Amino acid sequence: MPVVRKKQQRQARFWRKLLRLTRGRVTLLRAFQVILTEEGASPFAKVVRHVHDDVQAGRAFSEVLAGCGREFSPSVIELVRAAEHSGKWEEIFQEIADGLDEGTFD
């Protein structure tokens, strides 16, 4: 069984929060704002702020994630790209969180 690192655990929480908020009909941008409030001054909050600001400026979510260096794995970026094309956000967010929890994604 793969070892799940702190980064993967933190990201799994992020994707689960995003899933639950958007499932509750909170907009993506508002969900980022809520997560930012909960993250406080953590280093990951800077990443979330960058994602929020770039998506708000009109960039595709997958493009923004791809521009975050090694923070998000290529698998996660491709799944988000698939969600953008299919509209199956809930299923994709769940897959990402599960993959991170299982250690499938970096």
Side-chain angles (χ1 to χ4, degrees), residues 39-71:
E39 284 292 323
S42 73
F44 189 61
K46 291 179 183 179
V47 174
V48 177
R49 167 62 63 200
H50 167 74
V51 171
H52 170 272
D53 292 349
D54 280 12
V55 170
Q56 186 175 37
R59 291 189 62 210
F61 192 11
S62 61
E63 285 179 24
V64 176
L65 297 181
C68 289
R70 296 178 185 239
E71 187 66 39

Side-chain angles (χ1 to χ4, degrees), residues 6-86:
K6 271 197 177 295
K7 174 183 170 184
Q8 290 165 300
Q9 291 172 341
R10 180 190 69 232
Q11 283 197 12
R13 278 192 314 274
F14 167 77
W15 291 104
R16 287 201 192 289
K17 285 179 186 181
L18 205 53
L19 168 65
R20 289 187 174 120
L21 288 164
T22 56
R23 186 182 282 162
R25 304 300 174 233
V26 175
T27 67
L28 189 60
L29 289 173
R30 179 67 185 136
F32 291 145
Q33 292 170 340
V34 170
I35 293 168
L36 272 168
T37 300
E38 293 175 353
E39 284 292 323
S42 73
F44 189 61
K46 291 179 183 179
V47 174
V48 177
R49 167 62 63 200
H50 167 74
V51 171
H52 170 272
D53 292 349
D54 280 12
V55 170
Q56 186 175 37
R59 291 189 62 210
F61 192 11
S62 61
E63 285 179 24
V64 176
L65 297 181
C68 289
R70 296 178 185 239
E71 187 66 39
F72 299 97
S73 76
S75 296
V76 168
I77 295 164
E78 285 306 312
L79 283 169
V80 171
R81 189 170 287 125
E84 290 169 340
H85 292 290
S86 69

